Amino acid sequence: MAKRTEVKSTDLQSPEDVEDLVAKTKLCAEQWKDKADELWQEVLEEKEEIVKG
């Protein structure tokens, strides 16, 4: 997704290639996925309750 959206480094003095950044963060993202999905589901359920009134 980062490549498709043409993500650019915010460090102008030492820019980092998007593929390098993805490689560095992939393991952490995989470990975080289950908790992130759980939290996102909670947010969706809360929004649904608000809409129902």
Side-chain angles (χ1 to χ4, degrees):
M1 180 159 84
K3 192 140 189 125
R4 278 196 319 255
T5 58
E6 298 180 19
V7 171
K8 303 291 184 214
S9 178
T10 58
D11 186 341
L12 300 179
Q13 292 183 340
S14 182
E16 187 168 24
D17 179 72
V18 68
E19 294 300 327
D20 292 338
L21 181 59
V22 168
K24 286 183 191 177
T25 60
K26 186 171 179 149
L27 179 60
C28 181
E30 289 170 353
Q31 293 172 340
W32 168 247
K33 182 187 180 314
D34 290 340
K35 186 64 177 177
D37 288 344
E38 175 187 326
L39 293 171
W40 185 247
Q41 187 59 41
E42 289 176 15
V43 168
L44 293 177
E45 290 170 6
E46 288 173 9
K47 285 183 176 183
E48 187 175 307
E49 287 299 316
I50 291 171
V51 170
K52 287 181 180 178

